[in-house]
Amino acid sequence: MVVVVLEEMRIRSLGVIDDAVVELSPGFTAVTGETGAGKTMVVTSLGLLLGGRADPALVRIGAGKAVVEGRVTVPADASAAVRAEEAGAELDDGALLISRTVSAEGRSRAHLGGRSVPVGLLAELADELVAVHGQTDQQGLLKLTRQRQALDRYAGDAVAVPLAKYAEAYRRLRVVTAELDEITTRARERAQEADMLRYGLDEIAGVEPRAGEDTELAEEAERLSHAEALSAAATAAHAALAGNPEDPEGIDAATLVAGAQRALEAVRSHDPALAALADRIGEIGILLGDVAGELAGYADDLDADPLRLAAVEERRAALGALTRKYGEYEKGVAAVLAWAERSAARLTELDGDDERIGELTAERDALRIELGGLAQALTDARTEAAERFAAAVTAELASLAMPHARVSFDIRQTEDPEGVEVGGRTVACGPTGADEVELLLAPHPGAPPRPIAKGASGGELSRVMLAVEVVFAGTDPVPTYLFDEVDAGVGGKAAVEIGRRLARLAKSAQVVVVTHLPQVAAFADRQLLVEKTNDGSVTRSGVKVLEGEDRVRELSRMLAGQEDSQTARAHAEELLAAARADA
């Protein structure tokens, strides 16, 4: 017996359900009830637990929020358990508690193992825990993309490995082709850009600016503009410190300090404190002498030449013109030099276009050859897998009351002169290869294979989808399968065969089926009845396990619409007996 994956769900304020607990079991569980009783809410609830879209319209009228809680048993070493624990979730006695809340305002929250988590994490875990299938999935199977995905999934690594290499080569080819197109189609624009950059670089080279030169020239211009005042100030300061030769009687700072030092030197031996002050005065005298010397040198070196000032201003004007054209005025020459560095690199790139075109063309051609080889490998792998997949699905259909049906795949390519050579033909290629994959069905001998979108009735499509899922269960199983009226459009013997096949699937996985067919429900290990109260809601007692007489009554209702019809009861008992015998 398989390990129970989904043990139970509690649903509150969701659609017609007020507060109900859905208890599930190992094996095959059938969920039945009158139309509109809320059976579909079971599927909707599970969808929310698995990270599905939260629709505020699902919240029961008058309630502030809808809450769905689920208990899932997961082996501690399962990847789903490991991923949940990485997110901070904790297992409760080997079970993972999942909760999803949807407010009437549209806000949605998810909790996993007592920890708030992103809804996307629930969807990530769902891929490993539950496969949900309903009538919308049947319609999805009509799409060629879904059919190709189903075949690739069945093929496994035989397709996945070359597909990963193909996808990388395809991505690189798109990048190379786009760059090559950009270079060749914009050749004139790129030539104009190159001419503009050359002009700017030549203009900058003609001026030959140096880093920091504008700051140095600004300081020199300020100095030259005030040369007379600066010279007079330096001379006056020198005279105040060292004396004026033209005024021998004048008093200067150096003479006064020297006199102060002599006065203290005469008595320094009598008091260490006074001696220290004498030393400091001596230091002042030395400093005064140094400053006076520098002032004399400054005055002698000061250039008051108006021709030099004119040359400086001319140079500043030339640098300013460059700054206005190629930089930012506040950043000065530094911005001009940065522009020149960037532009030189860009010009090298533009001047190398011819060489780059040759490199890209060679790489593109090599990638196209590589892509063609990988596309052929994908076609070969898909063709081989398609034969096995079709044979397996055909065998399953035989057990679903379609003994003469035949399933096959049409794997084809579309010729495109701009495409890639695959198998000696030039064909269109996309992100997943060159193949268009279509599932064909011949429902009876003599009937030509036709696309299932055109050649299958609703009941046949239901059985094809069930057969596909059963085949997947043997190659890529998940612990739990949920089918929402996958038996739509089916009746009679076909319904019995679907019930029998679901029962077989339940021997290796947990199977939950929402159904209106008594032939299917009779094969279930457990049958749950969803029923409304008089006020139109489904309460805690509204989802109950049917056993014995209660189950016979529900099957009678499903058969004839009358729980107490003796004929219907006899038929119901016969169905149950046949199902038990088959088990």
Side-chain angles (χ1 to χ4, degrees), residues 143-216:
K143 298 178 181 178
L144 298 186
T145 300
R146 287 285 295 275
Q147 294 172 23
R148 195 256 320 146
Q149 290 172 347
L151 178 58
D152 288 355
R153 176 185 165 195
Y154 177 81
D157 288 345
V159 165
V161 173
L163 182 57
K165 296 179 181 178
Y166 174 93
E168 176 59 26
Y170 181 80
R171 183 200 63 78
R172 179 58 187 165
L173 178 60
R174 287 176 60 88
V175 171
V176 170
T177 301
E179 185 177 354
L180 187 59
D181 289 345
E182 194 269 344
I183 292 176
T184 54
T185 58
R186 294 183 55 199
R188 177 178 297 179
E189 296 175 15
R190 296 169 74 89
Q192 291 174 347
E193 181 184 0
D195 287 344
M196 182 195 73
L197 293 177
R198 286 193 190 90
Y199 178 83
L201 290 171
D202 288 344
E203 188 173 8
I204 293 172
V207 177
E208 295 183 333
R210 291 184 296 101
E213 182 182 6
D214 49 345
T215 302
E216 297 172 4

Side-chain angles (χ1 to χ4, degrees), residues 223-473:
R223 188 166 59 250
L224 290 172
S225 299
H226 301 84
E228 292 184 4
L230 292 173
S231 178
T235 300
H238 179 270
L241 294 178
N244 187 349
E246 297 179 358
D247 183 12
E249 300 299 326
I251 300 175
D252 58 82
T255 301
L256 293 175
V257 169
Q261 184 179 18
R262 285 194 299 274
L264 294 179
E265 286 291 338
V267 295
R268 65 177 295 155
S269 61
H270 303 302
D271 187 350
L274 199 63
L277 292 174
D279 291 340
R280 291 171 63 186
I281 291 175
E283 294 173 359
I284 293 173
I286 294 172
L287 182 61
L288 284 174
D290 290 343
V291 173
E294 291 181 14
L295 285 172
Y298 176 85
D300 292 340
D301 294 340
L302 189 63
D303 187 359
D305 185 0
L307 294 178
R308 174 57 186 167
L309 178 60
V312 168
E313 292 297 349
E314 183 178 355
R315 179 65 177 173
R316 292 184 69 198
L319 294 177
L322 291 181
T323 301
R324 285 190 295 274
K325 283 185 178 182
Y326 307 109
E328 300 175 29
Y329 188 76
E330 295 79 4
K331 296 182 179 180
V333 169
V336 175
L337 295 174
W339 182 91
E341 183 177 357
R342 293 194 305 271
S343 298
R346 175 60 174 164
L347 185 58
T348 299
E349 178 184 335
L350 293 173
D351 286 342
D353 275 356
D354 291 341
E355 180 180 350
R356 183 61 178 155
I357 287 174
E359 293 173 354
L360 289 173
T361 300
E363 184 177 3
R364 180 198 62 187
D365 294 343
L367 284 169
R368 288 169 65 87
I369 294 173
E370 179 185 1
L371 204 66
L374 291 170
Q376 183 63 58
L378 279 174
T379 300
D380 294 342
R382 284 172 176 150
T383 301
E384 189 277 331
E387 294 179 359
R388 293 186 288 110
F389 193 17
V393 173
T394 296
E396 285 298 327
L397 288 177
S399 66
L400 293 173
M402 295 178 67
H404 303 297
R406 293 290 180 271
V407 168
S408 60
F409 280 92
D410 178 20
I411 301 177
R412 58 184 181 270
Q413 297 82 32
T414 301
E415 292 194 7
D416 181 355
E418 301 297 323
V420 173
E421 185 173 336
V422 180
R425 299 165 56 215
T426 305
V427 300
C429 281
T432 59
D435 303 319
E436 295 178 24
V437 177
E438 189 164 26
L439 186 60
L440 307 179
L441 174 67
H444 52 80
R450 301 183 63 195
I452 59 172
K454 301 176 181 178
S457 64
E460 289 170 340
L461 184 58
S462 296
R463 282 176 279 177
V464 170
M465 197 188 86
L466 177 57
V468 168
E469 195 56 58
V470 169
V471 170
F472 280 145

